Amino acid sequence: MKILIIDPRPFVRSGLQVLLSGSPDFQICGEVTSKEQAIRFVKESPPDVLIADWRFGSLSGLELVDAARTEGYTGKALLLADYVTHQEFRQVKAAEIDGLVASTAIQEEVTHALNLIRLGRRYYDSHLLVNFLGTSADGKTGLSPHDQLTNKELEVLQALGQGLSNRQIAEDLFVTEYTVKKHVSQVLAKLDLADRTHAALYANVKGIARYEVSG
């Protein structure tokens, strides 16, 4: 996988070089420091994935990715961030960003995210979302929302956190797909989560499940 690093800070670029140099699956094909250089690079030699900071000078990482896509870039995008708000995460999903990783992530976390992206999946770092995911509308926490789930619903939530499809969950739990759909709906309603992605993130944030890359 060819990777383009877009960041004006030398220590960030060198840090990513060090993080990724030990993996034969990833090749850093270029480093640029500005939007103009990034656009020129992706037009002349498109990478498989570009990595940029969420806050990129006067631009946001989202704006940078959007500008690259406007110029014809069709590859993947991974953003690094110190923190994101709930609204910003909604923007990440709406923009179909492939990966969102904490700026403080260790090597295993970065390569884990890139491996998922390479396999056509998305990765959103649970550490960035823990401040707002699964909290009530007024921001209060208290008793864990998943304490209200039945044992079967908790099993379904765990399976969602592992990235399983309804069919896979049905096979594992020896129930029908229709039953799984009902459990998923109940889980989303009880935890006040928007969709399966949020449920999977919730399960990982709360330690109910751990998503692993196979193969």
Side-chain angles (χ1 to χ4, degrees):
M1 176 184 280
K2 295 185 298 182
I3 298 171
L4 172 65
I5 300 174
I6 311 170
D7 201 290
R9 299 163 296 180
F11 71 91
V12 173
R13 300 196 304 274
S14 61
L16 286 170
Q17 283 274 11
V18 172
L19 281 177
L20 301 176
S21 61
S23 175
D25 295 322
F26 309 123
Q27 172 196 354
I28 296 179
C29 61
E31 298 180 19
V32 296
T33 61
S34 68
K35 170 188 171 183
E36 292 73 24
Q37 290 177 350
I39 298 301
R40 185 162 55 250
F41 194 102
V42 298
K43 290 175 69 174
E44 295 175 354
S45 181
D48 297 310
V49 58
L50 59 83
I51 299 179
D53 196 79
W54 172 261
R55 292 166 177 82
F56 187 81
S58 60
L59 290 174
S60 72
L62 285 176
E63 291 172 320
L64 183 64
V65 173
D66 182 63
R69 287 173 173 171
T70 299
E71 294 296 331
Y73 177 64
T74 59
K76 309 291 187 179
L78 182 149
L79 298 179
L80 305 175
D82 296 321
Y83 65 91
V84 292
T85 65
H86 201 166
Q87 179 59 35
E88 288 172 335
F89 178 62
R90 289 181 183 274
Q91 294 172 354
V92 166
K93 287 193 65 181
E96 298 185 346
I97 299 299
D98 302 280
L100 181 66
V101 177
S103 301
T104 55
I106 61 175
Q107 180 178 7
E108 288 77 9
E109 291 171 317
V110 177
T111 55
H112 176 69
L114 287 170
N115 273 317
L116 282 181
I117 291 173
R118 180 168 56 86
L119 294 172
R121 303 185 70 96
R122 291 180 184 167
Y123 177 84
Y124 301 133
D125 195 325
S126 60
H127 294 92
L128 291 172
L129 312 181
V130 69
N131 289 328
F132 61 79
L133 190 62
T135 58
S136 61
D138 60 3
K140 297 179 181 179
T141 51
L143 191 66
S144 296
H146 59 263
D147 288 339
Q148 62 186 307
L149 300 181
T150 66
N151 288 337
K152 190 63 68 176
E153 289 167 352
L154 194 60
E155 289 179 339
V156 169
L157 177 60
Q158 183 180 40
L160 290 174
Q162 294 169 343
L164 301 185
S165 66
N166 282 357
R167 176 176 296 180
Q168 291 171 316
I169 297 173
E171 291 175 352
D172 285 353
L173 300 184
F174 302 102
V175 296
T176 66
E177 285 188 61
Y178 176 76
T179 299
V180 172
K181 289 179 181 179
K182 288 177 61 178
H183 285 316
V184 170
S185 295
Q186 284 295 100
V187 168
L188 297 181
K190 288 183 178 181
L191 300 184
D192 192 24
L193 299 172
D195 51 34
R196 296 172 68 96
T197 299
H198 279 81
L201 289 167
Y202 180 95
N204 280 271
V205 166
K206 298 299 184 180
I208 297 169
R210 171 69 178 171
Y211 189 91
E212 300 290 349
V213 180
S214 61

